Structure formats: structure tokens, C-alpha cells
Amino acid sequence: MSLGPYGLGTAPLGGLFAQVDEEQAERTLAAAWAAGIRYFDTAPHYGTGLAEERLGRFLRGLPGGGAGEAIVSTKVGRVLVPGEGEEDGFPGRTQYVRVRDYSRDGVLRSLEDSMRRTGLDHFGAVFVHDPDEHWEQAAGEAFPALAELRDQGVVGAIGAGMNQTAMLTRFVRETDVDVVLVAGRYTLLDRSAEEELLPECARRGVAVVVGGVFNSGVLAGGGTYDYAAAPPEVLDRAREMARVCESYGVPLPAAALRFPHRHPAVDTVLIGARSAEEITEDLELAAADIPDALWDDLEGLGHAG
């Protein structure tokens, strides 16, 4: 896969934390496309299918078969069934219930549903999504099912997407993954992925996609860390990082966006944007000139998780 240095994560377009209307979602996707982004990551979990639906509509509306240039990844592990569900971080759409299912049948059903929602007949990558308490079923059923689909050409790469590194490392060592998506664990604040996961991926030729580079907001001036209120000590470290960056004339979010690319195992960084303006701003930040000395000064403020 050639994903490019930055891709678009669509959780915000599914309404993560706050609802996004159709027009705003369309303009966000259009801005990403116009800026040259061709990799889009989505999941049934994001707004109980809303992010997949919106991404699919956008891609189908591109002129001249432009959708063929896109690489789309989605996820399996949460099957959506009709019913009165919970928001689970995505307010506004509660007519579906998320059911954890890492079985072979669950994987096949999930992918069939994702293809229907997006209108796609192929995904560039499929991740097993957050199988934290489901190792046996994920490794024993989900991955073999995905491997068969990969052999059939229905999907491209297969892997796992998680907010932790220990199980991702185990997947890399014990299954035939092509790619991992690690969220929030290789950032300026939390560098735990560099202990085992990234070296193991480098040794085995497994591609790495990094998400959650702002740790859900605190590294972009917000007050959330890993989808909850940031603890005081985390806020203090983020403020100190901002002060150090300011001394070099560099915005903290610019350093946060660029940091993961300093590791040779990292292929792509996901940007999670909910507006066209955020796309423009993030890509401008990502292009900022950052002196090597700044990285040295920030080194001591990170930790291993």
C-alpha cells in the first residue's frame, strides 16, 4: 500500500463528541480530496455506520471515476443491529446497537454491511477493531477469515486497530498481519509504541498507521486526553510542551502532527477533522519548518505510557 504521509480518519464525520451535518461532512471530505489525501479510514463504530455512509456518498459523487484513486480502510468486530442503542461517544444516532463479534460469521457480516453502506466492493485494508478482551476469537476466527478474503482479492491488507500496544505487538508476532493502526500510543505525550511495537513492525515489514496524534484533543489546545477529561499532570506536560514549541515559533499541534513520522516504521498519520477549515489548518501545520533542536527539547517531556 502507498497511503501517503497523511490520511483522513472519519470518526469526527460520524459525530465523535459532537454532531456534524451532511453539508459540513461533504465539505470536509472535499477539502481533504482537493489537498491530495487519498487514504480514508472509517469503521461501523463511527456514528453506527454514519461515517461509512458519508464517505461512500462522497466517493461515488467524484467525477470521472475518481473514487478509484481512493484507498479506504474499515474495521470489523462491531456488528450493527437495529435497536435503541447508546451514543457511545457519537451523539445523535441511536437506532442501532453495537454488538461485539469477532467470529468468522461476524467478520463476513460486518464487511458485507460495510460494503453496502459505502457502495464499495473492495477495501484497501481491514482492521480488527479494538479486540482487547477478545484475543482468542480475534486471532482464531477473525484473522483467518480476513486472510481468506485477502487471498480472494476482496480486501487488500489486513491488520488490527487498537489504543494499546501490547496486543498489537502480539498480533504482529503471532498472526499474518500486513498493517497495524495504533491510536494514541505514539504521540508527543505517550511514546509507548516505540518500546516493542514499532521495532517489531520494522523487523517484520508490517506497515504502521498512527492515529490519535493529539491524544483526542489535549495536544491541539483541548482538554481531553484519550477521550476523557485530561488529568492535571497531563495538562501540565502539554502546556510545557506548548511553551517549548512557542520558544521555537512552532505551534504545538504542528509538532504533534509531525512527531510520528520521525520513526522509520511509521507509514501514515491520520488526521481527524470535522471541517474543511481543519483540513487546511492541519495540513499547513504538518508542513511547518521544525528545527531538530526542538525535538531534543521535547524529548524529556514524553513518556512510555
Side-chain angles (χ1 to χ4, degrees), residues 178-182 197-198 201-202 206-210 265-269:
D178 305 299
V179 59
V180 296
L181 196 170
V182 56
L197 177 62
L198 296 184
C201 288
V206 173
V208 177
V209 177
V210 172
V266 173
D267 292 83
T268 301
V269 171

Side-chain angles (χ1 to χ4, degrees), residues 190-210:
D190 185 336
R191 306 177 188 183
S192 51
E194 70 185 5
E195 292 188 326
E196 293 188 76
L197 177 62
L198 296 184
E200 196 69 21
C201 288
R203 279 194 293 271
R204 296 174 182 267
V206 173
V208 177
V209 177
V210 172

Side-chain angles (χ1 to χ4, degrees), residues 2-70:
S2 178
L3 302 179
Y6 293 96
L8 181 67
T10 62
L13 302 185
L16 180 63
F17 299 139
Q19 294 182 53
V20 172
D21 65 33
E22 290 291 332
E23 181 182 356
Q24 184 172 327
E26 173 80 12
R27 287 193 295 106
T28 304
L29 290 163
W33 190 267
I37 288 176
R38 294 295 182 267
Y39 171 46
F40 300 85
D41 176 69
T42 190
H45 178 54
Y46 303 157
T48 55
L50 183 59
E52 288 187 321
E53 292 171 8
R54 287 174 165 174
L55 176 60
R57 279 196 294 273
F58 170 75
L59 293 176
R60 291 194 300 273
L62 288 171
E69 300 176 29

Side-chain angles (χ1 to χ4, degrees), residues 75-76 104 107-108 111 126-128 138 141-152 154-160:
K75 304 181 182 72
V76 296
R104 174 185 175 82
V107 165
L108 296 178
L111 273 179
V126 176
F127 297 103
V128 178
E141 294 191 51
F143 269 106
L146 289 177
E148 288 181 23
L149 294 171
R150 179 182 58 188
D151 291 343
Q152 296 165 9
V154 177
V155 304
I158 63 174

Side-chain angles (χ1 to χ4, degrees), residues 160-184:
M162 304 184 72
N163 294 285
Q164 58 146 297
T165 62
M167 191 176 287
L168 278 181
T169 304
R170 188 176 181 187
F171 278 124
V172 171
R173 288 172 174 162
E174 299 184 27
T175 71
D176 184 22
V177 296
D178 305 299
V179 59
V180 296
L181 196 170
V182 56

